[in-house]
């Protein structure tokens, strides 16, 4: 059931419990073992929860990544630990300050204070043909953001998105919200796998998808 | 392919990409419709020898650009906060001034009448203006005073809106200061100091008397006592402390506010410890015996 792990991600024991871990400077008070592996907290990271729940995004350890909604860098720090070039987009200035701190010890992490709804404001910096688009923006229009940023993905690249129901609509049933989001995503992606993250994150759906030929929205 | 469309060229094609300032400006301000294989492109253009060197340069450029962009955005938000608190004060002062005029004027009109929608003894301040705004005017003079009363009530509503705006923005600009001082006093201190950076550079003694400049200058010229507190007087820690201990309370609060401002400016994260420290210190001060 567990994913085929790339070299930069391992299952390690922390306080008697096996957890996913990457190697790098600690960021958010997570435990670190003597070999420098830091536990990846699935309760604080949606991508961590994706792995913990046995979904396999298919990382190979050299991946190039565009991460949207990097916030203070909790999750993208782990991504930069195991992946190659990692572009991190966040539009709120305060968490971006923390993100800069996270980038201090990670020369492959490129922080950008940009709005993910406006990819043309960073398409002169972020390269094309990326392996992964990881998205956790928790804002209205999550499908639109994924569609607009499809231009950065290689044809065989993948979208890994955490969709938060309440960001789209607080009143509608999450299942209906997810159905709408997936419908919209299908305008530019083929859905590979979806999974509710509720065990770790209430009313969140994880989506793995592949870009599909067709007009860029 | 690229290079023909200047809108779609990489960040390193603008200005001197090896100069940190110029690269940061290109990253912040340029745009492109479509991304390209920029690392390969940069090598081809002779900007770098190889992809490793490209990523190295990109790293320094993005970190530099993003640090500058964060700084600029925060300064802009701070300025909005300063305008908002100034406008809030304007709205309050003006609303009260007009309400006073309304009370005086309406009082003269209400004299001897206690009919229908108007009570003969009006409440003071904005409440009075609101009561008058509900009148049905019967004479040209009443029309004017009712209309004026409506303006006062509206201005007061705007003051309340401005206050909620300040309350929502201050924690984003200065989380520790807003937590400690309350968002409105935090905004006031920022405004009095001329921004977070200058507040962070002020010694505690200056923070203590910010907003009491007139009294301070009078004191320095040998007229009047040295002020014990300025804007921070409105804080419960000062106002709610027995007058005998107010000086200590103001000093303790100002000391921690100065630290909070420094954390907000230099680090930016929320630190519970500084708030706990102040709570402990205040408990000690308030436990002191007072004469009487
Ligand atoms: C749930 S948080 C992300 C947490 C982060 N991914 C982690 O696990 O460490 C969502 C973030 O997306 C950011 N965000 C929302 N809309 C955005 C947009 N249009 N562009 C860039 N960032 C955005 C928010 O400011 C917030 O920091």
């Amino acid at each position: 059931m567990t994913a085929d792990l790339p070299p930069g991600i391992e299952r390690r024991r922390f306080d008697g419990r096996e957890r996913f871990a990457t190697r790098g400077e600690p960021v958010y008070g997570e435990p670190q073992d003597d070999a420098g592996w830091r536990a990846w907290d699935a309760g604080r990271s949606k991508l961590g929860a994706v792995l913990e729940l046995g979904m396999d995004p298919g990382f190979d350890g050299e991946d190039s990544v565009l991460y949207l909604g990097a916030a203070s860098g909790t999750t993208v720090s782990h991504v930069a630990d195991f992946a190659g070039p990692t572009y991190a987009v966040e539009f709120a200035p305060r968490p971006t300050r923390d993100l800069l701190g996270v980038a201090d010890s990670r020369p492959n992490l490129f922080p950008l204070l940009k709005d993910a709804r406006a990819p043309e404001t960073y398409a002169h910096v972020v390269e094309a043909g990326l392996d992964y688009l990881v998205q956790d923006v928790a804002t209205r229009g999550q499908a639109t953001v994924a569609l607009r940023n499809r231009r950065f993905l290689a044809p065989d690249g993948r979208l890994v998105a955490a969709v938060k129901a309440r960001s789209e609509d607080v009143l509608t049933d999450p299942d209906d919200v997810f159905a709408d989001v997936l419908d919209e995503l299908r305008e530019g992606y083929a859905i590979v796998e979806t999974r509710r993250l509720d065990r770790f994150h209430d009313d969140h759906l994880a989506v793995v998808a592949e870009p599909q030929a067709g007009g860029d929205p | 392919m690229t290079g023909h469309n200047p809108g779609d060229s990489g960040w390193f094609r603008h200005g001197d990409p090896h100069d940190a300032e110029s690269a940061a400006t290109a990253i912040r301000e340029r745009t492109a419709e479509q991304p390209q294989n920029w690392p390969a492109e940069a090598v081809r253009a002779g900007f770098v020898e190889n992809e490793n060197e490209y990523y190295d340069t990109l790293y320094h450029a993005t970190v530099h650009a993003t640090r500058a962009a964060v700084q600029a955005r925060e300064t802009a938000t701070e300025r909005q906060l300063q305008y908002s608190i100034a406008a809030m004060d304007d709205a309050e002062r003006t609303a009260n001034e007009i309400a006073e005029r309304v009370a005086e004027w309406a009082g003269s009109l209400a004299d001897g009448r206690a009919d229908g929608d108007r009570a003969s003894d009006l409440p003071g301040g904005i409440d009075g203006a609101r009561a008058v705004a509900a009148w049905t005017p019967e004479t040209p003079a009443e029309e004017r005073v009712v209309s004026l009363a409506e303006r006062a009530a509206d201005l007061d509503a705007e003051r309340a809106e401005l206050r909620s705006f300040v309350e929502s923005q201050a924690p984003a600009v200065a989380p520790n200061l807003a937590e400690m001082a309350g968002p409105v006093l935090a905004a006031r201190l920022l405004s009095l100091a001329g921004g977070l950076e200058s507040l962070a550079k002020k010694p505690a003694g200056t923070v203590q008397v910010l907003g009491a400049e007139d009294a301070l200058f009078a004191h320095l010229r040998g007229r009047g006592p040295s002020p014990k507190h300025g804007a921070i007087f409105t804080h419960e820690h000062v106002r709610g402390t027995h007058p005998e201990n107010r000086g200590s309370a103001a000093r303790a609060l100002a000391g921690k506010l100065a630290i909070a401002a420094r954390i907000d400016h230099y680090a930016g994260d929320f630190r519970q410890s500084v708030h706990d420290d102040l709570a402990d210190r205040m408990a000690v001060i308030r436990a002191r015996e007072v004469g009487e």
Side-chain angles (χ1 to χ4, degrees):
Chain A
M1 85 150 211
T2 29
D4 230 351
L5 294 179
I9 308 180
E10 284 194 5
R11 295 285 285 174
R12 312 278 299 189
R13 289 194 88 76
F14 296 91
D15 300 323
R17 195 157 63 87
E18 269 221 339
R19 302 168 74 177
F20 285 98
T22 63
R23 210 148 28 165
E25 280 282 309
V27 168
Y28 51 97
E30 72 284 13
Q32 188 176 35
D33 69 14
D34 294 339
W37 291 87
R38 24 188 308 257
W40 192 337
D41 189 338
R44 299 195 43 179
S45 166
K46 278 142 235 164
L47 191 57
V50 161
L51 295 175
E52 200 63 55
L53 292 171
M55 282 176 96
D56 186 2
F59 296 123
D60 75 8
E62 300 287 315
D63 322 85
S64 51
V65 180
L66 170 57
Y67 192 106
L68 303 176
S72 303
T74 302
T75 300
V76 81
S77 66
H78 287 291
V79 173
D81 284 349
F82 76 77
T86 303
Y87 298 87
V89 169
E90 169 57 52
F91 79 164
R94 184 149 298 275
T96 304
R97 270 211 220 179
D98 300 338
L99 180 63
L100 283 163
V102 170
D104 264 346
S105 63
R106 295 179 171 83
N108 60 327
L109 179 58
F110 312 122
L112 293 165
L113 183 70
K114 301 281 183 183
D115 186 337
R117 289 166 299 193
E120 65 282 0
T121 60
Y122 49 87
H124 63 308
V125 181
V126 178
E127 66 199 78
L130 295 177
D131 299 315
Y132 285 92
L133 175 61
V134 182
Q135 176 178 319
D136 181 15
V137 288
T139 187
R140 219 186 157 80
Q142 295 166 97
T144 312
V145 168
L147 290 168
R148 287 197 188 149
N149 285 277
R150 197 188 61 166
R151 67 189 75 179
F152 296 101
L153 276 179
D156 61 349
R158 282 184 157 194
L159 165 74
V160 183
V163 179
K164 181 177 180 179
R166 296 180 60 86
S167 298
E168 297 296 331
D169 188 335
V170 283
L171 298 177
T172 308
D173 184 58
D175 285 326
D176 297 336
V177 174
F178 294 145
D180 286 350
V181 169
L182 290 175
D183 266 350
E184 191 183 337
L185 275 179
R186 287 193 187 92
E187 288 169 23
Y189 290 95
I191 311 295
V192 176
E193 195 181 357
T194 67
R195 180 94 42 109
R196 290 285 288 257
L197 298 179
D198 292 58
R199 210 176 102 208
F200 298 102
H201 303 273
D202 282 345
D203 296 334
H204 278 77
L205 183 75
V207 180
V208 176
E210 281 167 355
Q212 245 185 355
D216 231 53
Chain B
M1 192 177 82
T2 52
H4 294 298
N5 179 358
D8 270 7
S9 55
W11 61 279
F12 49 86
R13 295 259 189 188
H14 303 281
D16 173 6
H18 291 288
D19 169 66
E21 285 313 318
S22 166
T25 307
I27 287 175
R28 289 176 61 190
E29 293 174 5
R30 295 290 172 157
T31 61
E33 227 12 80
Q34 292 301 329
Q36 310 285 338
N37 185 345
W38 301 129
E41 182 89 0
V43 174
R44 198 157 42 234
F47 160 55
V48 286
E49 291 286 320
N50 53 48
E51 297 206 345
N52 280 342
E53 191 191 334
Y54 173 79
Y55 286 124
D56 222 40
T57 316
L58 176 67
Y59 174 73
H60 291 289
T62 52
V63 165
H64 188 79
T66 301
R67 184 161 290 131
V70 163
Q71 183 88 45
R73 279 270 295 283
E74 286 185 342
T75 309
T77 322
E78 250 174 60
R79 211 165 291 135
Q80 299 310 307
L81 196 60
Q82 292 178 31
Y83 280 120
S84 313
I85 188 101
M88 182 186 112
D89 289 347
D90 291 345
E92 174 164 2
R93 185 174 16 80
T94 313
N96 283 328
E97 214 171 284
I98 297 175
E100 233 171 86
R101 176 74 58 221
V102 166
E104 194 186 359
W105 189 354
S108 80
L109 293 169
D111 262 354
R113 311 176 40 170
D115 54 294
D117 55 6
R118 51 194 79 174
S120 56
D121 59 339
L122 287 162
I126 299 294
D127 287 341
R130 269 204 212 90
V132 174
W135 285 7
T136 313
E138 280 160 20
T139 65
E142 286 181 8
E143 238 164 64
R144 301 287 28 101
V145 80
V146 168
S147 166
L148 192 62
E150 284 166 355
R151 307 304 145 117
D154 282 353
L155 257 183
D156 184 61
E158 184 56 38
R159 177 203 55 76
E161 293 284 336
L162 284 162
R163 188 186 175 95
S164 354
F165 182 69
V166 167
E167 284 171 348
S168 70
Q169 297 297 300
V173 171
N176 290 288
L177 194 68
E179 167 71 18
M180 192 177 284
V184 171
L185 177 56
R188 206 176 288 294
L189 292 170
L190 285 178
S191 180
L192 286 164
L196 182 56
E197 178 167 7
S198 38
L199 185 62
K201 291 182 172 157
K202 294 208 185 308
T206 307
V207 174
Q208 190 178 336
V209 295
L210 268 181
E213 281 73 13
D214 291 352
L216 184 63
F217 289 132
H219 167 69
L220 294 176
R221 289 202 203 88
R223 292 181 277 114
S226 114
K228 290 200 182 51
H229 36 64
I232 66 167
F233 182 71
T234 57
H235 196 286
E236 171 57 23
H237 283 351
V238 181
R239 216 183 29 183
T241 296
H242 189 280
E244 255 177 52
N245 293 330
R246 254 181 216 159
S248 318
R251 254 193 315 282
L253 175 62
K256 296 299 179 198
L257 285 171
I259 293 171
R262 280 169 220 157
I263 299 172
D264 287 337
H265 176 65
Y266 295 104
D269 57 328
F270 184 79
R271 304 248 177 102
Q272 187 55 47
S273 58
V274 65
H275 305 286
D276 295 344
D277 287 352
L278 176 61
D280 291 349
R281 184 81 196 106
M282 282 309 302
V284 171
I285 292 172
R286 290 209 172 161
R288 276 185 204 157
E289 299 274 324
V290 291
E292 256 172 326

